[in-house]
Amino acid sequence: MTPTHSPFYDYILVGAGISGPFIAHELCRAGARCLMVEAGKQYTRRTYPRNDLDGTAQLYWSGGLELGTDARLVFLRPKVVGGGSIVNQALVDRFDEDAFDSWRRDSGVDDFNEKAMAPWYEKAEAEIAIQTIPSEYRNRNADVFEQGFQRLGYQLAPLRRAQKDCNYEAGNCCIECLNGCRIGSKQSTPETVLKKALELGLELRAETEALKIDSSANAIGVACQTSDGGVTTYRARNLVLASGAIGNSRLLLNSGLGRRLPALGHNFFCHPQYMNFGVYDQPVMSHLGAFQAFKSDDAGFRKNGFKLENVYAGPAAIALLLSGFGRQHHRTMERLSHFACIEVCTRDTQPGRIRVNRKGKTIIVKGQNKEDLRRYHKGLAVIDEIFNATGAKEVIHGTMGIGLHLMGGCGMGTDPNRSVVDPDFRLHGFKNIFCADSSIFPNAPGINPSLTIMALSKKAAAQLLKDANR
Amino acid sequence: MKISKYFNPQQLRGLIRAGDVILPGTDVSPSFSRTGCIDHVDRMASTLTSDDLGGLRLLLGLFRFSPKWVIRLLMTACTKNSLAPGFLGSALRTIDLGIRGMVMSLYYSNLTGREYQGKKVFDIIGWNTRLVMPHDDSPSEIPQPDIAYENPEESDVARIFSRARQAQPEILSWGVKKRLEFISRLKAIIIARQADILDRIQADTGKSRTDALTAEIFGTLDHLDYLEKNAVKVLKDRKVPTPFALMGKQSKIYFEPMGTTLIISPWNYPFYQAIVPITLAFAVGNAIIYKPSSATPLKGLVEELLAETGFDPAWVQVVYGPGKELGRMLIDQRPDKIFFIGSQRAGRQIITQAAEQLIPVELEMGGKDPMIVFEDANLERAAAGAIWGAFTNTGQSCTSVEKLYVQDSIYDAFKAILVRETLKMTRGTDSDGESDIGPMTTSAQVKVIARQIEDARKKGATLLTGGEWDGASAAIPPIVVEDSSDDMLLNREETFGPVLPIFAFHDEAEAVRRANSDDFGLSASVWSADRQRADRVARAIVTGNVSINNVMLTEGNHALPFGGSKKSGIGRYKGEFGFYCFSNIKSILVDKNSGKMEANWFPYSRRKFQLFTELTTNIYSPGIWSFFKAAVSGLKLEGYVKKRGKTD
């Protein structure tokens, strides 16, 4: 072999969110030489931002201001080592048969079923600690949620969360960890598989943004903007795309692969979510203590394409969601501790599209059709019902929709004209480019995606290693 | 309001206006502007995309000049965005999210400005979350070092320098224009606080209030004004012509900072000599470590003013301590540039130590400045000028007149006026501007003067005024000395006090010869109605600065460079040259990325040598014919190089 200036890798992984570290961990365990590039910064327990201003500015693309073309939805796209697992609320649910049925229908991929996925879910769950919140630590926001559901006869269930040691007895408040968990309880990838992968020799370059890939030769070249502003090209035998729906689509489009992959950027979904508040006479103190103890578990909700979440957010986000301004707004915020909060999360059916303009900037076209709005309003009506049944004096509907689960754009499927990734996680027509993150979702499952991303990544890693040994 | 890297002052005022429309405050909640949360705007702006930032800038710039009801109307329209169709609706939603997002994030992140005293926003809305670390690796607060250091140890000094080096790229990233926003604000703060600053200067130096006002406050403001008007122009990248032989290439000059600059200032103008070099070095983009004289440290004043302006503590760090020991420690840390104003003795020590480390040094040291009065000068004016030039700041100026040469034909008449006017001078550290000169600032300098006067008296000099001085009191009266000679200490060493030796000369040649007779060469003045003669003499005197028919006035114009010749100094500062003094002047030559080879590169050959000889001769011979011949040889040479490249 001729010596080269920059090392040659077996795999380059673009993105250090959830999928990338799960795959890298398996690859490194098998002795592969891996490089992971991540546009975001690497924080530690000591350095995570501590308020909404720094959190949104430092942990998200565009400082948290990413909008679709019609500006009806804000997309919160994490940009940090650990990705979604740093900023999410650590919900880990398996998909149900309904979700897999619709995936099978849209993709033609037989493996999308509960039985085939079960072993991969098990492997994924083995990497993280999963808990439900003990009843004695549920906060009053959870009480309102439970009471409403019980009074109205809806089904709810305790929420499975990827967390280990929240130290609730000391009065810890989950909301503090939305900008990164400073006590290392949340089972983010830097606390779990990424840590292990790094111990096994994974090379991680944070603040390094992949700009373009060159797949013309046998080896893949990835041109990256490094933290010092320069551009470096890394080379490897294989490439794993793990930068999410928008990141992967943008990278492939900017690399001029749009023509070879006709479905690239299509079928983008985001589970639009809307937070709503009930204002009570007594203080609710939703910001205190354990967070989101319950989820809705109602067959009727599922059939109607929405679910309800018992969430909360920081004061800046809440202030922004409350429409309006001026003295009236102050008066509302001065009563913040009297707020309970329920969010409706819709399973969107209108596919969006991710494109890039001539300058390489991302453009997100994501509308909501009548059915999506119907689902939203249906959920909203239940929320009103719950708030009224529990004695809320006033109900405030948050105005802005938030797209948190960014999925699709590189959908998996058997038909190269309608999908981007084949059932073996390989880009159609490419030998050595792979993808297993949320961008391969064929449609919106209506369930939080992170556990399924982990499971699919486990499956993909096994496939990659099988290929490599062939 | 802090200076923002991303928004100009107008845009910030626009944000304040919009913020106060959105969050006007109630009896319980403070208004947006009152919390001072806008000081943290850069924390948010730093991660925005350039498109978003551009949009916000435009909008905020408009808000600056919009009446509040217009902003209110726009924000109301934003909340009713669903009524607006298509594009207009998305535009309104984008504006709403941008403006309200910014205002809410700033206000509801519990951030406040430095001066805010009221209740915190989190307390008002009842936000009292907690997070107790179960692990022992819980974050510890990193202590922030202060801006100023007193008698630092070796390890402190190392920390000071590493902090400056870390901060310097940040200073540079602000850009000249943004750095000037700091200069403008500093200027406003000095204007507003001048009485207070005068008190501080007088307390440390004892000088008269008018001296402090005209030299230190007025002079400093004048310099800041010069920076505001000229820094962008001077520090801009410059294109220079590229000669014929380098045709097709581009030549440019970049003005970059040196890096970390050490500024050591004297005690005579402690405020002016602090602010002027600090701001000059900062405008270029340097990080600064400033060491004031231990005699007049104005302790706390400079850092207080800079902090009020919004300087980051790491940008300019002030170190206090004894000159010799601390100076040595500071230079040991290898600053990228040393700028020194002070005595020859200290200057020599600094340059010796800097020589070991090859650190560039700028020295501004003392003088023994001559004043030459010809017979055709206006005597009343010249005498008044001599008195001011010799005694202002109690003679404690490096450019004060220390030798007065008067043409013999007018000597007696001039002397009479000089003595008469000197005797009228008032003395003391005043508070109302009524005193001409104050006492001496340092007792060490009083001793120097006592020694010189005693020596002069012993060797036969006459004191025309000030004979009553006891040789010990700091309140030295203005002393005019006659019949002194070159062997007296008074005429060999710098005096730096209110002492003026007066001499008669016969003609121009003698005046020039005597003015050039010592080792100093800082400044001089020539007084004559004959402008040609005055100019002739100004050229003939070996010195850095000459005022004609005035005294010490070159310093009054900040566009003029300042510095000494002979043993009075090395280098020039102020004016255009002042920027260069703190700059790494970088030459850039740009060629195209083509396949073309240069004629002067290898391989050499006999034929190439011949062609080059032809080109060299033709290019530098005069005449149009040679020009054509040069063009032909150039083409021949190029053709040869091209062919060679192919055949090889």
Side-chain angles (χ1 to χ4, degrees), chain B residues 41 61 68 134 183 225-226 255 296 309 366 384 509 546:
Chain B
V41 70
K68 281 202 171 164
I183 303 293
D225 197 63
Y226 175 82
F255 296 87
T296 56
T309 305
V546 181

Side-chain angles (χ1 to χ4, degrees), chain A residues 50 53-54 57 70-71 170-173 176 183 287 313 320 322 325-327 329-331 333-334 361 400, chain B residues 22-23 25-27 29 43 47 51 75 93 97 100 104 108-109 125-132 135 139:
Chain A
R50 298 199 169 199
L53 181 87
D54 294 334
D70 71 354
N172 278 353
C173 303
E176 285 282 313
I183 56 175
H287 59 287
L320 187 57
L322 305 175
F325 58 91
R327 282 206 173 73
H329 163 90
H330 275 301
R331 288 293 173 226
M333 284 301 284
E334 283 160 12
K361 200 190 147 217
M400 212 167 289
Chain B
I22 294 166
L23 298 167
T26 62
D27 50 336
S29 305
R43 282 159 75 168
T47 56
D51 286 357
M75 295 316 296
R93 282 188 287 275
L97 183 76
R100 275 202 315 126
M104 298 302 188
Y108 286 111
S109 291
I125 61 174
W127 192 270
N128 53 349
T129 56
R130 58 193 253 130
L131 188 68
V132 180
H135 304 282

Side-chain angles (χ1 to χ4, degrees), chain B residues 87-164:
Chain B
F87 172 75
L88 184 60
S90 13
L92 287 175
R93 282 188 287 275
T94 309
I95 292 172
D96 186 47
L97 183 76
I99 298 297
R100 275 202 315 126
M102 204 165 179
V103 168
M104 298 302 188
S105 297
L106 285 167
Y107 184 86
Y108 286 111
S109 291
N110 213 28
L111 301 167
T112 54
R114 276 190 352 154
E115 290 89 30
Y116 181 68
Q117 301 277 323
K119 222 170 156 186
K120 289 261 206 159
V121 171
F122 274 10
D123 296 332
I124 292 161
I125 61 174
W127 192 270
N128 53 349
T129 56
R130 58 193 253 130
L131 188 68
V132 180
M133 313 290 160
H135 304 282
D136 47 9
D137 60 350
S138 55
S140 58
E141 291 294 317
I142 302 155
Q144 273 296 315
D146 291 330
I147 187 172
Y149 308 85
E150 228 175 316
N151 299 317
E153 312 253 320
E154 198 98 39
S155 59
D156 296 330
V157 173
R159 261 217 324 278
I160 291 165
F161 269 83
S162 87
R163 195 172 175 218

Side-chain angles (χ1 to χ4, degrees), chain A residues 68-290:
Chain A
T69 45
D70 71 354
R72 283 185 195 278
L73 291 171
V74 184
F75 300 106
L76 285 179
R77 174 158 65 112
K79 181 187 186 183
V80 52
V81 170
S85 71
I86 300 298
V87 296
N88 70 4
Q89 310 194 12
L91 278 61
V92 278
D93 272 336
R94 294 188 183 194
F95 284 4
D96 58 8
E97 206 49 56
D98 184 55
F100 282 130
D101 284 349
S102 78
W103 275 21
R104 237 180 10 255
R105 197 184 57 230
D106 281 1
S107 67
V109 179
D110 292 333
D111 275 359
F112 285 143
N113 66 72
E114 276 187 299
K115 196 158 163 255
M117 283 301 290
W120 303 112
Y121 274 129
E122 272 163 37
K123 283 188 208 299
E125 284 161 352
E127 299 289 358
I128 50 175
I130 299 179
Q131 296 178 338
T132 53
I133 290 169
S135 52
E136 65 266 35
Y137 294 123
R138 287 175 194 156
N139 71 1
R140 294 220 33 225
N141 195 29
D143 293 344
V144 168
F145 195 78
E146 186 185 29
Q147 220 175 58
F149 269 68
Q150 280 168 354
R151 283 193 191 155
L152 296 164
Y154 296 126
Q155 293 300 308
L156 83 171
L159 191 74
R160 299 205 316 158
R161 295 177 40 135
Q163 62 185 41
K164 183 173 74 176
D165 181 15
C166 289
N167 203 14
Y168 291 125
E169 49 285 10
N172 278 353
C173 303
C174 290
I175 201 151
E176 285 282 313
C177 298
L178 285 185
N179 293 321
C181 178
R182 303 202 300 276
I183 56 175
S185 171
K186 183 148 77 181
Q187 299 290 284
S188 61
T189 47
E191 293 286 345
T192 56
V193 286
L194 181 60
K195 192 153 85 183
K196 290 190 210 163
L198 289 169
E199 281 162 13
L200 291 166
L202 170 70
E203 235 178 88
L204 169 66
R205 290 186 193 277
E207 294 172 76
T208 303
E209 183 184 348
L211 301 173
K212 214 170 194 179
I213 57 178
D214 174 10
S215 56
S216 57
N218 258 344
I220 303 252
V222 184
C224 298
Q225 175 130 41
T226 50
S227 55
D228 58 13
V231 174
T232 307
T233 300
Y234 299 104
R235 285 174 206 289
R237 263 182 210 96
N238 304 286
L239 174 66
V240 177
L241 299 172
S243 55
I246 296 171
N248 289 347
S249 303
R250 185 178 78 141
L251 178 59
L252 292 171
L253 287 168
N254 279 336
S255 307
L257 300 177
R259 204 165 289 168
R260 281 181 71 182
L261 300 164
L264 180 59
H266 290 266
N267 294 324
F268 166 67
F269 297 91
C270 69
H271 289 165
Q273 319 198 357
Y274 297 84
M275 285 172 76
N276 301 282
F277 309 95
V279 188
Y280 293 78
D281 279 341
Q282 297 300 314
V284 182
M285 313 300 269
S286 296
H287 59 287
L288 293 184

Side-chain angles (χ1 to χ4, degrees), chain B residues 211-325:
Chain B
D211 267 345
L213 174 69
T214 53
E216 306 233 46
I217 303 282
F218 187 91
T220 301
L221 292 174
D222 199 43
H223 157 79
L224 297 178
D225 197 63
Y226 175 82
L227 283 187
E228 280 179 307
K229 290 183 179 135
N230 295 279
V232 171
K233 205 165 59 198
V234 177
L235 295 170
K236 210 161 46 194
D237 293 351
R238 216 170 283 179
K239 264 194 182 158
V240 294
T242 307
F244 177 67
L246 299 179
M247 213 158 66
K249 302 167 183 26
Q250 264 188 1
S251 308
K252 294 186 285 187
I253 303 171
Y254 296 165
F255 296 87
E256 294 175 355
M258 306 286 289
T260 298
T261 302
L262 171 63
I263 293 171
I264 301 176
S265 290
W267 50 260
N268 58 341
Y269 294 103
F271 186 70
Y272 177 90
Q273 304 287 34
I275 301 294
V276 171
I278 286 173
T279 48
L280 195 45
F282 174 75
V284 181
N286 293 280
I288 294 135
I289 290 154
Y290 166 65
K291 195 205 106 40
S293 158
S294 51
T296 56
L298 298 180
K299 201 165 271 174
L301 181 65
V302 169
E303 49 270 42
E304 195 182 304
L305 294 172
L306 293 177
E308 199 178 327
T309 305
F311 274 68
D312 186 280
W315 295 354
V316 180
Q317 298 175 82
V318 186
V319 282
Y320 298 103
K324 205 167 162 186
E325 295 79 14

Side-chain angles (χ1 to χ4, degrees), chain A residues 432-452:
Chain A
N432 48 3
I433 304 181
F434 303 89
C435 181
D437 67 5
S438 65
S439 69
I440 69 165
F441 286 18
N443 59 34
I447 297 171
N448 297 54
S450 68
L451 185 68
T452 305

